[in-house]
Amino acid sequence: MAASLPTRRELFQAAGAIAGAAFVSGCQSQLNKSEAGNQAPADYILRIAVKPVELAPNRIVSVTAFNGQFPGPLLRLKEGQRVTVDIHNDTDTPEQLHWHGQFVGTDVDGAAEEGTPFIPPRGSRRISFVPKPAGYRFYHTHVRAGANLSAGQYSGQVGPVYIEPASNPGNYDREVFLTLKEFEPTFSRGGDMAMDFLAPATTVEELKNQGESAMKESLAKGMPHGFEVGYGSFTINGRMLGSGEPVRVKQGERILFHMLNGSATEIRSLALPGHSFNVIALDGNPISKPVSVPGLWLGTGERVSAIVEMNHPGVWIMGDTANDDREHGMGIVVEYAGKSGKPQWIAPRKFSWNYAQFGNGGAAPPAPDQTFDMTFAKQNAAQDGFNLWTINGAAFSEQQMQPMFRVMQGKRYRLRMRNASDDIHPIHLHRHSFELTRVAGQPVSGVRKDVAMVGGYQEMEVDFVADNPGLTLFHCHQQLHMDFGFMALFEYA
Ligand SMILES: [Cu+2]
């Protein structure tokens, strides 16, 4: 965060300068290795390597990260303007870099399940794509971590992407990007705490019976609870609360915050005492009109863009509403010019999160050409002590890579998802976006996303148009769930 108060233009220039710096160092490395031949230099260079990251004074962790920093560099791309990116892998394991939320091809998307080639250990890959759609996206590793808590998204391989729209009304003074992410993961057998912030809270009796009886049966056989993951440190932009630069603001400013939950496994909340969030986009996609909320909830992989009017001078903690997580670092100080003192936290009143409030309240979406039913279920501790996850009774097999659903280009499909577990699943569809059409029994329209949380024992329906041919991965964005079965492939006929 800059110490002074840069204008939007200065920020753009700074972003350009950072991109330029990456460009220069990349040229040098290419010359050193003389591997590029006559190839033109790439627009961006991302280098995957294990590096020390300082979360707080005297708290340094060694993680795999992009360009030696966490989060990875902010990439500001232009919608429709082709870019080339060189991705170097300085580790000993094959990597995948996924362009989350973008409509790219399978050769670029960064999912081995779709056929994207790996970035080989100690090797590199050049990719080229046309950024779209405009809005807040991100990039992250997409390899299976399994029981390895230094791999996959347990590592530091997460970075923001902002795709500039062709025209931007920009009703704000400046932007601040915040990436929420935990470090120092460990396994536990505790069982996740049930979270009840989703609204409506309508559950389906049949799903509840199914989930609870499966769990009872497993425990009766003497099985322990499946592994969960907990964390030792919590950060925003890689710094624990109080350790990084505050967000310095002036009274009257309108700041557009771009929040990303970069966690491997956790759902996060965020509040700023005395302020409200005017949400303008979800997962980078504009909503029909701004909606003011007292706080935010973000599943893994979800993004919220919200304008905060700085009209309550002081020194505040913008932080997670979970006291334990905030006290272990999940927060950032917001400091008004001319104010000093200890940053203050005031717990907000409990607030729920209803995707429908961001809808346009308009006509029902068009009827789909076909509906796919999906039931999510958990087999407690069924695979080496890990919970095994199934979609319609099948856990995804990395050996067989068998597509489960078939679509035809141009048709509209509805996913009718039924969650027979008590966990919330932030489901994600690659290379497409979807429109929420029903959340826990409640009709919705006009909310386009690429990740959405399906509540415990709840139902959700989303529609997507099959408009980007090639294998398309669907999965839960919770690393521990996707790694143990919670994936399915769509193929185009
Ligand atoms: Cu899940």
Side-chain angles (χ1 to χ4, degrees):
M1 222 62 58
S4 61
L5 296 161
T7 63
R8 275 185 71 204
R9 181 173 298 157
E10 284 166 352
L11 274 182
F12 286 131
Q13 286 166 343
I18 290 163
F23 173 91
V24 169
S25 69
C27 284
Q28 284 165 344
S29 79
Q30 283 183 342
L31 289 173
N32 292 344
K33 288 182 182 171
S34 67
E35 65 191 6
N38 294 324
Q39 210 174 21
D43 299 310
Y44 294 94
I45 287 137
L46 292 172
R47 187 171 287 280
I48 304 164
V50 180
K51 292 282 179 187
V53 172
E54 189 183 283
L55 308 178
N58 301 317
R59 189 140 187 171
I60 296 166
V61 293
S62 178
V63 294
T64 308
F66 295 114
N67 296 12
Q69 62 179 82
F70 182 86
L74 167 63
L75 305 183
R76 290 198 88 113
L77 311 178
K78 287 202 168 60
E79 187 179 30
Q81 191 172 311
R82 181 173 286 276
V83 291
T84 56
V85 183
D86 280 346
I87 310 164
H88 299 279
N89 180 2
D90 292 349
T91 75
D92 294 321
T93 51
E95 269 298 343
Q96 286 283 357
L97 191 153
H98 170 48
W99 299 94
H100 185 120
Q102 288 201 47
F103 304 162
V104 292
T106 54
D107 55 330
V108 164
D109 190 47
E113 295 81 1
E114 296 172 340
T116 317
F118 281 95
I119 307 144
R122 307 288 162 192
S124 61
R125 235 198 124 210
R126 168 168 290 194
I127 57 167
S128 171
F129 61 95
V130 177
K132 65 176 175 185
Y136 187 20
R137 316 285 160 210
F138 76 116
Y139 57 99
H140 64 85
T141 179
H142 207 287
V143 297
R144 184 176 187 277
N148 180 356
L149 290 182
S150 59
Q153 223 167 302
Y154 301 117
S155 75
Q157 292 178 78
V158 176
V161 173
Y162 193 82
I163 303 176
E164 307 281 357
S167 73
N168 183 358
N171 188 20
Y172 52 86
D173 295 307
R174 61 194 177 96
E175 293 165 291
V176 172
F177 287 78
L178 301 178
T179 300
L180 284 58
K181 178 97 170 61
E182 309 80 8
F183 291 92
E184 302 180 275
T186 50
F187 285 120
S188 72
R189 289 268 194 197
D192 254 359
M193 224 194 312
M195 298 181 101
D196 62 352
F197 60 89
L198 288 173
T202 320
T203 55
V204 177
E205 205 55 30
E206 180 200 342
L207 296 172
K208 196 169 182 176
N209 292 340
Q210 186 184 333
E212 287 183 349
S213 65
M215 193 68 203
K216 262 186 214 140
E217 216 172 284
S218 171
L219 296 176
K221 279 192 275 187
M223 299 290 277
H225 284 271
F227 289 115
E228 300 290 348
V229 172
Y231 298 90
S233 51
F234 296 73
T235 73
I236 293 184
N237 288 351
R239 303 289 288 188
M240 295 170 76
L241 174 59
S243 303
E245 286 294 309
V247 180
R248 293 194 171 88
V249 304
K250 282 190 283 205
Q251 185 164 7
E253 270 190 309
R254 291 165 56 83
I255 299 193
L256 174 55
F257 285 94
H258 293 293
M259 262 80 56
L260 158 65
N261 181 351
S263 178
T265 59
E266 300 253 297
I267 291 165
R268 300 254 66 100
S269 61
L270 206 59
L272 176 62
H275 299 76
S276 52
F277 295 91
N278 268 294
V279 176
I280 62 166
L282 295 177
D283 295 350
N285 305 316
I287 55 177
S288 61
K289 58 175 192 311
V291 175
S292 176
V293 294
L296 311 174
W297 283 95
L298 299 106
T300 55
E302 283 192 298
R303 289 90 67 208
V304 175
S305 300
I307 294 173
V308 178
E309 286 183 33
M310 292 299 162
N311 52 14
H312 198 62
V315 181
W316 304 106
I317 292 171
M318 182 193 283
D320 201 295
T321 59
N323 292 336
D324 202 43
D325 295 357
R326 193 183 61 257
E327 283 156 12
H328 284 86
M330 190 51 79
I332 189 166
V333 174
V334 174
E335 185 182 295
Y336 278 73
K339 294 288 170 184
S340 58
K342 191 171 177 277
Q344 301 295 308
W345 169 256
I346 300 164
R349 268 184 307 181
K350 195 177 172 191
F351 59 92
S352 60
W353 190 247
N354 186 346
Y355 288 123
Q357 72 185 316
F358 306 108
N360 57 20
D369 294 296
Q370 191 181 341
T371 297
F372 294 118
D373 282 304
M374 293 177 154
T375 300
F376 309 143
K378 172 165 78 178
Q379 294 175 15
N380 178 58
Q383 188 173 328
D384 308 322
F386 290 91
N387 299 325
L388 187 66
W389 293 92
T390 62
I391 300 175
N392 295 346
F396 186 78
S397 161
E398 294 278 349
Q399 284 74 42
Q400 292 166 5
M401 299 271 192
Q402 193 64 43
M404 183 177 270
F405 304 101
R406 174 172 282 213
V407 296
M408 280 164 65
Q409 192 170 355
K411 301 266 191 229
R412 185 180 175 99
Y413 294 91
R414 181 159 296 170
L415 306 181
R416 180 167 169 258
M417 298 174 283
R418 313 181 77 229
N419 181 6
S421 75
D422 59 355
D423 301 66
I424 295 170
H425 300 293
I427 58 92
H428 172 47
L429 185 66
H430 280 231
R431 309 192 311 106
H432 299 73
S433 63
F434 50 73
E435 181 180 3
L436 306 189
T437 51
R438 192 171 284 270
V439 174
Q442 171 189 240
V444 188
S445 62
V447 180
R448 278 189 311 117
K449 293 181 63 49
D450 51 59
V451 181
M453 291 181 276
V454 184
Y457 304 131
Q458 292 196 330
E459 291 181 336
M460 178 182 278
E461 293 178 10
V462 304
D463 287 13
F464 73 98
V465 175
D467 56 4
N468 194 7
L471 285 172
T472 297
L473 191 61
F474 167 94
H475 64 90
C476 177
H477 216 281
Q478 218 274 30
Q479 183 94 45
L480 203 49
H481 299 178
M482 67 182 280
D483 286 354
F484 292 91
F486 205 139
M487 289 205 213
L489 275 171
F490 286 83
E491 64 177 352
Y492 278 71

